[in-house]
Amino acid sequence: MNSFAAGELGPGLEPLAMIGLGVAAALTAGLKSIVLWFPSERVALMNGYMVMLGSLGAVTATAPAEHLIAWMGWRPLFEILAAATGATAALIYIVVPERAVIPPTGLTPGTLSSVFGDQRFWRIAPLSATCVGSAWSLQGLWAAPWLTDVGGFDRASVVAQLFTMSVVLCGGAWLFGMTVHYTKRRGIGTEPILAIISEVFIAAELALMLRAPLPSILPWSLIAIVGTATVVSFAVIADYFPPELAGRANGALNVLHFGWAFLAQFGTGLILEQWPTVDGHRTVLAYQVAFGANVAVQITAFVWFTLPWFGSSGRRMGSIPLFQPASVSDKAETFMPYEQLLVVMPADADAEW
């Protein structure tokens, strides 16, 4: 539900905690099932379809939920949702067959410590978490206040913008799934795609902060679409770990996504509280500082993510005689055709693009 509806519903924290606990395994279980049931080259595509269908919930939580609550109230709506959720769970349990993974003989089964001990995981995790988590935080909580306080939108216009953002969210999951699928078929890694997405996300946030002369729906739609960049992150994780570890690795990454979403929501609110309200609205400066703190962390994570690439590029440049010191490059035995240098030079294990 969006922040407007949540303010009207007003249930205690216990039911909300139970809802969170109940759906906590849904995404990770779906990702694990896809890894088990589909070949590796189609995992990203199927992840995109699954996240796209799951994102329909974000669509129904805006304008459709607004109309349903006005018509029947929130209690009957929640009863319908509970019945539909229970029926779906029973259908999965009865119909979907179980498929076990048998680890290769002679290999020690992977554990969660294998995931957290992998340097590649900690290279992608900060960037994925700060971008995806911030996108969830902004769309789920802070988009509506910003549109009201800074954009000057009324309630109906805010709901309409949130609905548009949710539709874009669904399309983004499909778009990312298709993009990763076709780029991998052409031998292109998924890490550059994640880097481009993070750059676009940071640019959209800066456009909001600097009040760029753009329709507000444009940067907010870009922010919303990054919420489905999990499709790309999970594709990278699938390349890092074997199928028997995919569920743990995706679950670990998703914990960081939600963890940062919580921190971003709480931290943004804490910063906004440092400014007084004017006629019931926060000032533009308050939002600029709050959003800017998020962007600063994302830029730091982006630099950390790209450091191995720049390091490996520098080592390759240093191996070319033209860039070596004269005392070294003047030796005849060091000369080698450039094409051979690209082949024989060892690649950095952490740098895949």
Side-chain angles (χ1 to χ4, degrees):
M1 299 294 292
N2 59 55
S3 57
F4 282 101
E8 295 174 358
L9 298 177
L13 291 178
E14 293 82 2
L16 295 178
M18 292 177 64
I19 291 174
L21 180 64
V23 303
L27 178 60
T28 303
L31 296 170
K32 176 70 172 182
S33 301
I34 288 173
V35 170
L36 294 178
W37 284 103
F38 294 94
S40 58
E41 61 271 13
R42 299 192 66 190
V43 166
L45 181 62
M46 301 311 298
N47 284 345
Y49 287 147
M50 186 190 72
V51 175
M52 178 187 69
L53 294 174
S55 299
L56 290 176
V59 176
T60 58
T62 54
E66 182 84 0
H67 295 301
L68 287 174
I69 290 175
W71 175 50
M72 66 173 64
W74 70 268
R75 292 183 184 276
L77 177 60
F78 267 47
E79 291 171 356
I80 294 173
L81 291 174
T85 303
T88 303
L91 189 64
I92 292 173
Y93 182 79
I94 296 171
V95 175
V96 178
E98 187 70 28
R99 182 173 180 179
V101 176
I102 302 176
T105 306
L107 293 181
T108 303
T111 62
L112 197 58
S113 61
S114 304
V115 176
F116 288 121
D118 195 303
Q119 294 181 356
R120 298 169 302 175
F121 178 84
W122 289 113
R123 185 161 67 89
I124 182 181
L127 182 63
S128 182
T130 54
C131 289
V132 173
S134 293
W136 292 349
S137 168
L138 291 172
Q139 181 179 5
L141 184 60
W142 295 115
W146 189 95
L147 291 170
T148 302
D149 296 341
V150 180
F153 290 85
D154 58 18
R155 180 186 176 90
S157 299
V158 170
V159 172
Q161 291 242 16
L162 293 175
F163 176 78
T164 302
M165 292 167 60
S166 300
V167 173
V168 171
L169 184 74
C170 290
W174 175 83
L175 174 64
F176 289 148
M178 294 291 291
T179 301
V180 173
H181 176 67
Y182 285 109
T183 53
K184 291 187 72 173
R185 288 180 61 181
R186 287 161 175 76
I188 302 174
T190 50
E191 290 185 346
I193 301 175
L194 181 62
I196 293 173
I197 291 171
S198 64
E199 291 173 333
V200 172
F201 180 62
I202 292 172
E205 292 176 294
L206 290 175
L208 288 177
M209 293 165 50
L210 301 177
R211 307 295 305 279
L214 298 169
S216 63
I217 191 61
L218 178 58
W220 277 115
S221 294
L222 292 175
I223 288 172
I225 203 173
V226 174
T228 60
T230 50
V231 175
V232 181
S233 302
F234 294 147
V236 177
I237 291 295
D239 291 336
Y240 287 169
F241 299 97
E244 59 269 17
L245 261 181
R248 292 184 179 91
N250 285 331
L253 183 61
N254 220 33
V255 167
L256 298 179
H257 288 158
F258 281 103
W260 182 257
F262 165 76
L263 291 176
Q265 286 183 342
F266 178 78
T268 299
L270 192 64
I271 294 175
L272 290 176
E273 288 296 326
Q274 306 308 310
W275 275 264
T277 58
V278 179
D279 296 329
H281 299 287
R282 299 288 177 189
T283 64
V284 176
L285 179 60
Y287 284 97
Q288 288 174 332
V289 174
F291 287 10
N294 246 330
V295 171
V297 177
Q298 293 156 17
I299 293 175
T300 303
F302 179 81
V303 172
W304 171 258
F305 178 75
T306 56
L307 274 179
W309 186 86
F310 287 110
S312 62
S313 298
R315 285 191 289 274
R316 291 191 184 96
M317 291 294 289
S319 69
I320 302 175
L322 179 62
F323 296 95
Q324 291 179 347
S327 58
V328 177
S329 60
D330 287 343
K331 296 180 181 180
E333 62 270 21
T334 61
F335 282 95
M336 186 180 298
Y338 180 70
E339 293 80 3
Q340 295 183 29
L341 281 168
L342 295 179
V343 174
V344 301
M345 287 303 301
D348 189 346
D350 288 339
E352 297 186 2
W353 53 284

